[in-house]
Amino acid sequence: MTSDAHTGTGRPADALRGDDETSTAPKKKGGGAVGGVANWMDERTGGAKGIRYLMNKVFPDHWSFMLGEVAMYSLIILLITGTFLTFWYVPSMGETIYHGSYTPLQGQQMSEAYKSTVDISMDVRGGLLIRQIHHWAALLFLVAIMLHMFRVFFTGAFRKPREINWVIGVLLFMLAMVEGFAGYSLPDDLLSGTGIRAAQGFMLSIPVIGSYVAYFVFGGAFPGSEIIPRLFTVHVLLLPAIIMGLFAAHMILLIVHKHTQFPGPGRSDHNVVGFKLMPVYTAKAGGFFFIVFGITALISGLVTINPIWMYGPYEPTMVTAGAQPDWYMGFADGALRLSPGWWEFTLLGHTFSLNVMIGAILLIPVIFTALGVYPFLEAWITGDKREHHLLDRPRNAPTRTAIGMGFIAFYFVLFVASGNDIMAITLHLSINDITHVMQASIFILPPLVFWITKRLCMSLQRSDRDLVLHGKESGRLIRTAEGRFFEAHTPLSEHDRWRLVSYETHRPIAAPTEADSNGVGRRQIAKDKMRARLSHFYFNDRIEAITPAELAAAHHDGQAFESIESAEDGDRLEIDSDEFDHHMHGGAEELSSGHAYSHPQDQEPS
Amino acid sequence: MTTSFTGPERHDHSEHQPEPGDHGRQGSDLINLGDGHHEGSGALPERFENPGLPEHVHRLGDDDPAAAKRSERQVASLFGVSMLATLLFVISYIVVGKGEIVTLPLIGATKALHVALGVTLGISLLCIGLGAVHWAKTLMSDTEVVEERHTLRSPDEDREGTVKILTDSAESTQLTRRPLIKYSLGGALGLFVVPLGLQLVGSLGPLPHDNLGVTLWDRKLNGKGRRLMRDPENTPIRLSDVTLGSVFHVLPEGIDDVQNPQDAKVKAAVLLVSMQESDIKNAKEASWGIQGVVAYSKICTHVGCPVGLYEHTTHHLLCPCHQSTFDMTNDCEVIFGPAKRRLPQLKISVNDAGYLVADQGFQEPVGPSFWERA
Ligand code: HEM
Ligand code: FES
């Protein structure tokens, strides 16, 4: 890292072309008022060095990089609007009688928390808008985090050196969910009260300490008078502080690592191609903040969310039909709905409430742990210890992409299951049938989606290879001497081709042989075997990028031309291989399991 | 500055040290994943070479001052619209009445003030954003810049220096040589969180004791069983009031006089249902009720939602939270859903004055399962 500090003054190459070196640090004296202030500050803080470094940072441009920005901006919107709300919201479960301007609730007994939320919605000018922006931003925040995570996953951006940031991101996602649940509970309306009620039931299901946990969290029996004030502290102080800390760490690491970029001509693992923070990126990103905020405000003004005045205050003996949590908690709710009752049993005089515990207590930590360890698992399997700054196109990592899609399928089934009652009503189906189908889907769908995705990725890779070998169809017909027709293909330009041929493919590592295992402990052998098996699972089916030799061979065989009839036959690859003897030489290959290559480059002696 | 690489270079990067002018090029452009497959290719490189950045294509506005001028006006108009919307926000805030309602297409009747504020704020923010992005896209430099990366690993000198400081410190504190200090320090540091943790956890709440197992029905009122009261009317119920097919929401008599009525309601809520006596398949159920009138806990045995939906024809009770379904004709056994246990039954009788009373409380804990209940 010290080298970075030195290069602040004389970076070897900030620009490919000489004509865009414009930024200069404010000079001593001169530069008008800005220069004066900057000089004053710099002489007291020495900040110019760091600021210059930051402003010169280069950010690559890709639409998917905006997902993380959306998350960041919604977080800022949440901080602003949440702070506003604290000025009117009263975090108390003390009972009062409503006398505000909303007539349907006149004279009703309710908690102060509920009353103040109704007041914010009805009597504070613009209060409803702030509440609505806060809630919509919360929903958007979680959507953005999740999509951002998918982007990082499917492009392999979590690989070395970014594993720590991946783990921080996973933590942020989990905390954001909890934060959202805490906030959702604060109005103490009938809907959210039912949610807290269920949460107490979840706690009770924990073996051994369940009832203690519940009584400590609630300060006694449910509902008591403590839970809302406590959730308030959690929601406005504890979790925001932790989230902001992790968020800051996330950003610092981002700056240290610099952005990843998609592969392309001129881009490599050793550079970043994009726009400097000042001015282009600042203008775009700053502008984008206002766009996100503006859209959130528009939606909030037009589409009502969580109209708590319609639900009424929380009353433990009442419940609304179709009780549903906010979307990001849906999957856990769905898991509860799919768990069969027989998972609960008694043993040795104690109740094991697994029908509740698995979905409500274990699922979230298990999923997030699995997410958190994935980068380390993949790195172990590949043995790849290099730094990666170029992203993978998802198709070029078929097994990883397929695992991700399988996981999404799993999540999706749970999410859909949380609407089984709504589906039953709208589709006029039996809720029993729907639930049974979902119970089966949770086991069938993820492997199926895995398999389909992997095949799909590989056929995309195959068509990439075809494109490199045969070029683009030019639409120009050529007649041969024997009277057959060919369509001339224009070869790809060097730049277009690079996008398709620059990726790398791992090969499965060989299982340890007897000779290898001499003098190695049993545990180590078992580990090596496991690793070899996983590596086989990941990389046995693979399609490698075209090499110059393959391209040359293909051209030599005359494959720049292609028979039209055979192209119409659909599976070009197979037909070609009949027609041109050497085709397979240049075509896709799916290597059989016999080909276990070790790749010493990637395995550091350990 | 090189933009294209001259073929694969190989070096074992574990031995590779960053040198000035070398930015740690180990990796991307080589793929030594096993050789032997592409043999015989003569002088051809093993991998394609990175062709470098493509030619920069100029935008319309870069060469055409008129186009640039147009962009300038567009950006300025967007900023202008934003100011206008802000002004409208202020006016709406002052002028529009709290109770005024507007009817909008698609959206229906909504509060006029809320919509006005939301839309004007939205437009004012959105236009700032769109203006800035348009400005960046059309007028600011769009030539891509290349920044070099450096390996994150510190130079060996720094790494060794760090380790040395640590070992030197261990040495000068004599920590390694004086295990007594080492272990006692570890113990003290390990224990210092105990007071803080104890204070917090210990004071958060009372112990549950048997609280989860008792309800207000267990506590006699003036030595007698509590009457069943309609919720929320709080009136006692005669057997004759419960006509065939009725469903009553019930709470115990005197619930508003206890210290925390909400806490008591959560456990004591009951559903009172009247069925044809012949529909009841379970002998205990019939004997704990009177003439087909039976009382069951309303709190779902899954995670505790009030069981809210009753199907008259089948006598099924459905919980709206996760759809557990209980069969009231068969002692509220679970016939569908994630709940495992039946809803507990409350034994009822008629007192001297003809009102329904509960002589005893529930014979098992109500609501969600917990470790100690068994
Ligand atoms: C990660 C960030 C946050 C998320 C996901 C989040 C989410 C939520 C949600 C969903 C609600 C319910 C809104 C409703 O009534 O419909 C809420 C309420 C509330 N939030 Fe937040 N929030 C966040 C940060 C904050 C912060 C930083 C503060 C204050 C400093 C705050 C203060 C409040 C207050 C006072 C309420 C209750 C008032 C009301 O419900 O209208 N929130 N939050
Ligand atoms: S609480 Fe009744 S089914 Fe879950």
Side-chain angles (χ1 to χ4, degrees):
Chain A
M1 280 326 305
T2 47
S3 65
D4 273 356
H6 296 315
T7 49
T9 44
R11 306 181 63 72
D14 274 324
L16 189 62
R17 300 173 200 78
D19 61 0
D20 43 22
E21 270 293 13
T22 47
S23 124
T24 38
K27 289 200 181 65
K28 257 194 184 181
K29 307 251 161 85
V34 179
V37 174
N39 177 44
W40 193 92
M41 280 302 285
D42 188 49
E43 286 184 350
R44 280 153 190 85
T45 61
K49 285 189 287 293
I51 292 175
R52 172 162 188 258
Y53 174 72
L54 272 184
M55 292 197 304
N56 266 332
K57 277 207 85 61
V58 169
F59 288 80
D61 224 1
H62 189 267
W63 65 266
S64 68
F65 297 169
M66 293 199 303
L67 296 167
E69 279 179 47
V70 177
M72 173 166 84
Y73 300 149
S74 353
L75 178 61
I76 298 173
I77 299 171
L78 284 163
L79 291 171
I80 298 173
T81 51
T83 307
F84 277 39
L85 288 173
T86 56
F87 292 128
W88 303 284
Y89 174 75
V90 182
S92 157
M93 295 174 90
E95 297 281 327
T96 58
I97 308 286
Y98 183 73
H99 294 298
S101 67
Y102 185 62
T103 30
L105 291 175
Q106 273 305 334
Q108 270 204 44
Q109 184 160 333
M110 57 181 65
S111 69
E112 298 209 54
Y114 182 73
K115 178 181 173 294
S116 64
T117 314
V118 175
D119 287 345
I120 291 173
S121 312
M122 295 295 159
D123 294 316
V124 176
R125 283 191 154 258
L128 180 58
L129 182 63
I130 300 296
R131 251 199 77 220
Q132 301 280 290
I133 295 179
H134 194 69
H135 203 130
W136 274 113
L139 300 184
L140 181 68
F141 183 46
L142 279 135
V143 175
I145 292 188
M146 194 154 151
L147 295 180
H148 171 58
M149 191 179 73
F150 290 162
R151 195 284 284 178
V152 170
F153 182 84
F154 286 116
T155 59
F158 55 76
R159 288 171 298 169
K160 187 180 172 186
R162 296 184 177 74
E163 304 96 323
I164 306 175
N165 240 7
W166 167 265
V167 173
I168 292 179
V170 168
L171 282 174
L172 275 170
F173 186 11
M174 193 164 82
L175 292 176
M177 271 171 50
V178 180
E179 172 76 350
F181 180 81
Y184 175 80
S185 308
L186 290 182
D188 201 22
D189 57 293
L190 187 52
L191 197 58
S192 70
T194 308
I196 306 186
R197 164 75 252 212
Q200 197 243 8
F202 302 160
M203 293 173 202
L204 289 179
S205 76
I206 303 172
V208 187
I209 54 168
S211 20
Y212 293 86
V213 171
Y215 272 66
F216 286 3
V217 169
F218 283 79
F222 176 85
S225 55
E226 302 284 342
I227 189 66
I228 294 286
R230 284 181 183 179
L231 282 174
F232 181 71
T233 305
V234 168
H235 184 75
V236 308
L237 182 72
L238 190 61
L239 285 180
I242 300 175
I243 288 175
M244 288 314 287
L246 287 174
F247 170 68
H250 204 66
M251 291 297 101
I252 290 171
L253 280 176
L254 174 81
I255 292 169
V256 169
H257 294 146
K258 304 187 167 79
H259 262 285
T260 52
Q261 57 191 350
F262 275 96
R267 298 164 179 209
S268 77
D269 266 329
H270 318 291
N271 67 12
V272 200
V273 180
F275 298 99
K276 287 192 179 175
L277 182 67
M278 273 310 247
V280 180
Y281 192 77
T282 309
K284 280 192 188 170
F288 193 51
F289 166 71
F290 285 98
I291 292 179
V292 172
F293 202 168
I295 290 176
T296 316
L298 273 179
I299 295 177
S300 305
L302 296 172
V303 190
T304 307
I305 186 151
N306 207 16
I308 47 101
W309 56 92
M310 284 164 47
Y311 305 147
Y314 178 60
E315 184 56 51
T317 59
M318 298 213 304
V319 68
T320 50
Q324 220 103 38
D326 264 352
W327 80 265
Y328 44 85
M329 283 292 171
F331 76 104
D333 196 53
L336 281 178
R337 291 174 190 224
L338 295 187
S339 306
W342 55 263
W343 283 1
E344 174 173 328
F345 54 88
T346 54
L347 191 72
L348 305 173
H350 289 293
T351 305
F352 291 79
S353 204
L354 298 188
N355 55 340
V356 177
M357 205 193 38
I358 289 178
I361 303 286
L362 290 182
L363 181 72
I364 291 180
V366 166
I367 287 186
F368 281 89
T369 309
L371 288 175
V373 301
Y374 183 83
F376 303 98
L377 185 72
E378 197 188 285
W380 179 63
I381 295 168
T382 59
D384 189 344
K385 297 206 165 65
R386 296 166 300 171
E387 284 187 16
H388 288 278
H389 303 289
L390 277 183
L391 297 171
D392 284 327
R393 293 171 82 205
R395 69 181 63 172
N396 289 335
T399 308
R400 178 204 295 148
T401 304
I403 290 175
M405 291 306 292
F407 172 78
I408 292 178
F410 172 77
Y411 183 92
F412 181 76
V413 174
L414 293 182
F415 179 72
V416 171
S418 73
N420 62 354
D421 50 336
I422 295 175
M423 263 197 303
I425 293 165
T426 46
L427 303 177
H428 301 286
L429 291 170
S430 131
I431 190 155
N432 302 27
D433 293 346
I434 292 184
T435 306
H436 291 314
V437 169
M438 301 267 184
Q439 281 168 337
S441 312
I442 200 79
F443 294 104
I444 299 170
L445 216 56
L448 187 69
V449 168
F450 172 88
W451 188 82
I452 294 176
T453 310
K454 186 154 177 187
R455 295 294 122 188
L456 207 65
C457 285
M458 290 174 63
S459 42
L460 286 170
Q461 283 184 299
R462 263 188 216 109
S463 62
D464 281 353
R465 285 182 61 101
D466 273 2
L467 197 59
V468 174
L469 287 179
H470 308 308
K472 289 194 190 104
E473 286 166 14
S474 65
R476 200 157 42 85
L477 291 188
I478 292 174
R479 189 161 176 252
T480 63
E482 308 97 71
R484 293 185 61 185
F485 285 95
F486 287 97
E487 185 178 8
H489 284 215
T490 24
L492 294 182
S493 76
E494 204 187 9
H495 291 113
D496 287 341
R497 188 176 63 210
W498 176 247
R499 289 175 209 281
L500 304 180
V501 299
S502 56
Y503 73 91
E504 298 176 13
T505 316
H506 287 282
R507 297 183 177 180
I509 49 172
T513 58
E514 289 303 317
D516 291 341
S517 44
N518 275 344
V520 185
R522 241 166 220 273
R523 292 257 300 282
Q524 188 58 38
I525 296 176
K527 255 165 106 180
D528 287 350
K529 279 202 175 132
M530 181 67 173
R531 183 165 163 229
R533 254 199 308 268
L534 285 170
S535 167
H536 187 266
F537 167 74
Y538 262 74
F539 304 118
N540 191 49
D541 292 347
R542 70 181 176 279
I543 291 176
E544 300 189 352
I546 301 263
T547 61
E550 284 172 309
L551 186 62
H555 282 182
H556 180 255
D557 292 343
Q559 285 180 29
F561 301 104
E562 190 187 350
S563 154
I564 295 176
E565 302 102 80
S566 63
E568 277 164 3
D569 271 336
D571 198 347
R572 207 187 284 164
L573 199 73
E574 246 172 56
I575 294 180
D576 281 355
S577 66
D578 291 333
E579 224 156 294
F580 303 102
D581 282 348
H582 299 289
H583 183 90
M584 277 318 281
H585 179 64
E589 62 222 287
E590 282 191 61
L591 299 179
S592 70
S593 50
H595 276 267
Y597 288 83
S598 59
H599 39 133
Q601 176 74 20
D602 296 333
Q603 284 168 274
E604 276 185 350
S606 47
Chain B
M1 175 72 232
T2 48
T3 53
S4 66
F5 303 119
T6 48
E9 298 162 52
R10 289 163 197 233
H11 28 229
D12 184 348
H13 78 275
S14 60
E15 284 166 24
H16 175 78
Q17 292 313 325
E19 299 143 31
D22 177 340
H23 304 295
R25 179 174 304 137
Q26 73 272 24
S28 77
D29 47 334
L30 50 90
I31 173 183
N32 185 16
L33 299 168
D35 303 318
H37 188 60
H38 307 297
E39 64 204 12
S41 52
L44 285 173
E46 193 160 335
R47 303 270 300 166
F48 282 100
E49 287 167 16
N50 192 331
L53 279 184
E55 189 89 37
H56 181 65
V57 184
H58 283 275
R59 290 164 305 191
L60 198 55
D62 292 340
D63 306 322
D64 175 3
K69 189 77 200 162
R70 243 191 338 271
S71 303
E72 180 188 347
R73 276 197 297 267
Q74 285 159 347
V75 172
S77 320
L78 282 165
F79 291 156
V81 173
S82 166
M83 287 191 275
L84 192 67
T86 305
L87 188 67
L88 287 175
F89 180 97
V90 176
I91 296 175
S92 318
Y93 183 88
I94 297 170
V95 172
V96 182
K98 250 187 344 200
E100 279 173 47
I101 301 289
V102 283
T103 309
L104 297 173
L106 288 178
I107 289 155
T110 14
K111 293 175 63 173
L113 177 63
H114 174 63
V115 173
L117 295 183
V119 170
T120 51
L121 178 65
I123 292 176
S124 119
L125 295 165
L126 199 58
C127 286
I128 297 180
L130 292 175
V133 171
H134 192 55
W135 178 15
K137 286 206 157 164
T138 55
L139 293 172
M140 293 184 193
S141 156
D142 74 332
T143 33
E144 290 191 310
V145 181
V146 179
E147 188 182 1
E148 284 291 310
R149 289 182 191 277
H150 311 270
T151 29
L152 289 164
R153 193 181 189 279
S154 313
D156 276 355
E157 193 191 333
D158 287 330
R159 291 160 62 113
E160 282 153 17
T162 312
V163 173
K164 188 164 181 312
I165 292 176
L166 290 176
T167 42
D168 284 356
S169 315
E171 189 54 35
S172 87
T173 53
Q174 309 187 353
L175 211 56
T176 35
R177 271 182 291 141
R178 304 199 185 280
L180 202 57
I181 294 188
K182 187 160 109 187
Y183 292 118
S184 55
L185 174 69
L189 285 180
L191 289 176
F192 103 97
V193 289
V194 168
L196 298 176
L198 178 67
Q199 194 285 323
L200 178 65
V201 176
S203 311
L204 274 177
L207 299 182
H209 298 297
D210 66 345
N211 190 275
L212 283 166
V214 296
T215 72
L216 196 57
W217 298 108
D218 293 312
R219 276 175 36 202
K220 301 269 184 239
L221 190 65
N222 309 325
K224 281 183 270 180
R226 290 178 190 252
R227 288 186 293 177
L228 279 69
M229 310 293 270
R230 289 183 186 84
D231 175 33
E233 296 83 353
N234 200 21
T235 49
I237 307 166
R238 288 176 191 281
L239 182 60
S240 55
D241 297 340
V242 197
T243 49
L244 191 65
S246 323
V247 191
F248 284 44
H249 296 271
V250 166
L251 285 174
E253 180 178 12
I255 193 141
D256 289 327
D257 304 330
V258 302
Q259 212 178 13
N260 293 307
Q262 296 286 63
D263 298 3
K265 283 182 191 174
V266 173
K267 289 185 289 182
V270 158
L271 273 179
L272 185 72
V273 172
S274 164
M275 293 182 280
Q276 208 82 49
E277 202 165 5
S278 56
D279 283 346
I280 298 180
K281 297 176 205 142
N282 181 293
K284 181 217 85 179
E285 174 176 0
S287 68
W288 281 22
I290 319 156
Q291 298 163 23
V293 175
V294 289
Y296 276 91
S297 164
K298 195 165 119 183
I299 307 304
C300 186
T301 56
H302 183 224
V303 292
C305 290
V307 179
L309 306 169
Y310 176 61
E311 275 180 353
H312 277 275
T313 42
T314 54
H315 305 298
H316 289 169
L317 271 176
L318 184 89
C319 176
C321 281
H322 314 100
Q323 283 71 49
S324 287
T325 310
F326 304 88
D327 182 0
M328 284 209 103
T329 65
N330 190 11
D331 200 22
C332 275
E333 123 191 284
V334 181
I335 52 170
F336 179 75
K340 155 88 177 204
R341 288 176 298 103
R342 307 157 181 271
L343 293 172
Q345 188 178 8
L346 184 69
K347 186 169 184 235
I348 54 171
S349 58
V350 179
N351 71 3
D352 303 339
Y355 292 112
L356 292 177
V357 290
D359 297 322
Q360 58 179 36
F362 292 104
Q363 295 305 293
E364 57 180 313
V366 300
S369 302
F370 53 99
W371 177 252
E372 296 89 347
R373 87 174 291 289

